[in-house]
């Protein structure tokens, strides 16, 4: 059978549990918790979702670290009703929004001692148990009027978890605030035109920063059968919304036309708001991923007096999956981490948006970057040919901003399996502090979290 996947993205076909994993080096004793990462993993290569970058049932991969040991590795599909049925299991209980029961495949977060797999565009998150079993779909005790969001941002001072939900059936975005126990405290509808996609947003001490960019729901692409009917829309002006966290009022300013999947961080700077993002010249041109141009790391400065947005290029190398010390979310910061990517024209071949027929094995590259934003310098850490490095997640160990570790799943072509690589953030180009050898491949996927015990 012809498969649209090459090695990096090829799904795994079974769930595995392994204990007492082999380790090279020494796992820092302060790392007690779970490193979890989510991503699409189709149940079968015959499924229609198997050839699309954004579809495929969610599978969460996890490694449990404690007292300097790698106690276990698990990978588990997120049991939507369809997945449970295909696996011969009873469906899990839980609500469904607008008939969208989707096996959440984009992110996995911890909140209030619970674990949630998340996805955007109208579907609800799924709650997982500590060992990654699926508990069921969750609307936080009835607090969600609709779906949730793939990306959330936790205010490290207030403990509030912020999210920005969207759905093609709405004429608004929805800002949601949850308390540290997972109770929805505020819901604010933000009117928008054209049903735009909003994958991520930003948070500062004063504002929720909303990206209203020219990628909108396209009825024409829906009618032609595109599975993700969002497309670049030249008639939809780019703008940035600054929603006051105090009053809920939104001020809109014109923005440079572009597309943004991910935020690195944002913060208030006197009469300006600074927003660091990975931006593309365009996105979803003709509902495809391969026509918008390569991503780069940019800084926006939004002048609150004039309403003007200044843009500066921080690093022009194609890169994605920006992360930072989330103890500084919404505050001035110095360091960020990204993964080198190739231009999507090299990642995604012709055909429908996100199709994987010509997906390159080195699509995610083999290099992580540490950005010193104060000095304007970068350090690059290469992890070997064919490494397929995933998102770098920072875990703090001391008070200094880069006193901690950077964790990432890395393909090990010599073993035909993956490693969890633990780097010292302060010795970023040095040898890994520890390498946890997993018993199986971890396909390239999306986002993850360190969830401390």
């Amino acid at each position: 059978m012809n498969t649209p996947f090459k090695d990096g993205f090829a799904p795994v076909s079974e769930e595995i549990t392994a204990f007492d994993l082999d380790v090279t080096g020494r796992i820092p004793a302060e790392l007690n918790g779970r490193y979890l990462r989510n991503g699409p993993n189709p149940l079968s290569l015959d499924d229609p979702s198997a050839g699309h970058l954004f579809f495929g049932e969610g599978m969460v991969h996890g490694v449990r670290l404690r007292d300097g040991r790698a106690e276990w590795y698990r990978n588990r599909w997120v049991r939507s009703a369809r997945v449970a049925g295909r696996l011969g299991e009873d469906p899990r209980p839980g609500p469904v929004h607008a008939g969208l029961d989707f096996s959440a495949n984009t992110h996995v977060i911890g909140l209030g001692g619970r674990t949630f797999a998340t996805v955007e565009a109208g579907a609800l998150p799924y709650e997982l148990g500590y060992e990654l079993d699926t508990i069921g779909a969750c609307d936080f005790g009835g607090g969600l009027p609709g779906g949730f969001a793939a990306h959330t941002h936790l205010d490290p001072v207030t403990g509030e978890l912020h999210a920005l939900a969207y759905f093609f059936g709405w004429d608004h975005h929805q800002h949601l605030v949850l308390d540290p126990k997972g109770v929805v405290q505020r819901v604010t509808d933000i009117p928008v035109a054209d049903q735009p996609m909003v994958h991520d947003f930003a948070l500062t001490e004063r504002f929720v920063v909303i990206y209203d960019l020219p990628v909108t729901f396209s009825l024409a692409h829906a009618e032609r059968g595109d599975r993700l009917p969002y497309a670049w829309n030249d008639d939809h002006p780019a703008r940035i919304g600054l929603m006051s966290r105090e009053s809920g009022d939104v001020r809109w300013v014109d923005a440079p036309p572009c597309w943004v999947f991910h935020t690195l961080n944002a913060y208030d700077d006197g009469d300006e708001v600074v927003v660091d993002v990975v931006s593309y010249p365009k996105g979803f041109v003709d509902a495809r991923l391969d026509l918008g141009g390569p991503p780069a790391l940019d800084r926006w400065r939004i002048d609150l007096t004039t309403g003007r947005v200044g843009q500066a290029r921080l690093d022009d190398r194609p890169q994605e999956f920006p992360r930072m010390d989330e103890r500084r979310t919404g505050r001035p910061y110095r360091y960020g981490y990204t993964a080198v990517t190739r231009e999507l024209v090299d990642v995604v071949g012709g055909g429908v948006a996100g199709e994987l027929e010509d997906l390159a094995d080195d699509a995610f590259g083999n290099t992580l970057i540490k950005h010193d934003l104060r000095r304007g310098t970068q350090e690059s850490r290469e992890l070997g040919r064919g490494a397929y490095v995933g998102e770098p997640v920072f875990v703090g160990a001391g008070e200094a901003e880069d006193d901690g570790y950077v964790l990432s799943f890395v393909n090990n072509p010599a073993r035909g399996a993956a490693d969890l690589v633990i780097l010292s953030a302060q010795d970023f180009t040095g040898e890994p502090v520890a390498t946890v050898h997993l018993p199986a491949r971890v396909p390239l996927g999306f986002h993850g979290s360190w969830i401390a015990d």
Side-chain angles (χ1 to χ4, degrees), residues 289-406:
L289 292 177
D290 59 326
L291 300 177
L297 186 62
D298 284 344
R299 169 164 288 178
W300 296 338
R301 282 192 171 271
I302 306 169
D303 189 314
L304 297 175
T305 302
T306 66
R308 293 177 180 172
V309 179
Q311 183 171 353
R313 178 73 25 109
L314 299 178
D315 190 0
D316 60 4
R317 282 174 290 184
Q319 57 199 284
E320 257 291 2
F321 300 106
R323 298 296 291 264
M324 41 74 71
D325 180 352
E326 292 174 359
R327 299 173 298 179
R328 286 166 170 78
T329 294
R331 276 75 183 170
Y333 73 120
R334 179 173 179 178
Y335 300 108
Y337 307 88
T338 57
V340 171
T341 61
R342 291 186 59 182
E343 187 175 351
L344 279 175
V345 69
D346 295 325
V347 176
V348 184
V352 181
E355 298 299 329
L356 301 173
E357 282 89 348
D358 297 322
L359 193 63
D361 279 344
D362 57 352
F364 280 32
N366 66 347
T367 302
L368 299 177
I369 305 172
K370 177 184 178 181
H371 298 271
D372 185 331
L373 301 168
R374 183 181 301 168
R375 294 183 176 178
T377 59
Q378 299 88 28
E379 296 179 80
S380 297
R381 179 64 170 86
E382 295 185 3
L383 287 142
R385 184 177 177 86
Y388 318 143
V389 178
E391 177 186 56
V393 173
F394 177 85
V395 183
E399 292 186 6
E401 185 179 338
D402 67 342
D403 185 359
Y405 306 97
V406 176

Side-chain angles (χ1 to χ4, degrees), residues 25-71:
R26 179 175 295 179
I27 297 173
E30 59 266 41
L31 291 181
N32 289 302
R34 297 168 299 155
Y35 176 69
L36 308 180
R37 201 224 65 196
N38 201 352
N41 194 97
L43 282 164
S44 168
L45 291 177
D46 294 325
D47 289 351
S49 65
H52 196 287
L53 184 62
F54 291 166
F55 289 89
E57 291 74 21
M59 175 176 274
V60 177
H61 300 258
V63 178
R64 164 78 153 99
L65 306 179
R66 185 171 65 174
D67 298 331
R69 297 172 50 234
E71 289 193 336

Side-chain angles (χ1 to χ4, degrees), residues 271-292:
D271 290 332
E272 294 184 322
V273 176
V274 177
V275 187
D276 294 338
V277 295
V278 172
S279 71
Y280 297 75
K282 291 185 175 183
F284 294 87
V285 177
D286 194 27
R288 292 167 53 157
L289 292 177
D290 59 326
L291 300 177

Side-chain angles (χ1 to χ4, degrees), residues 410-422:
V410 177
N411 179 61
N412 187 328
R415 295 197 307 112
D419 296 325
L420 173 59
V421 173
I422 304 173

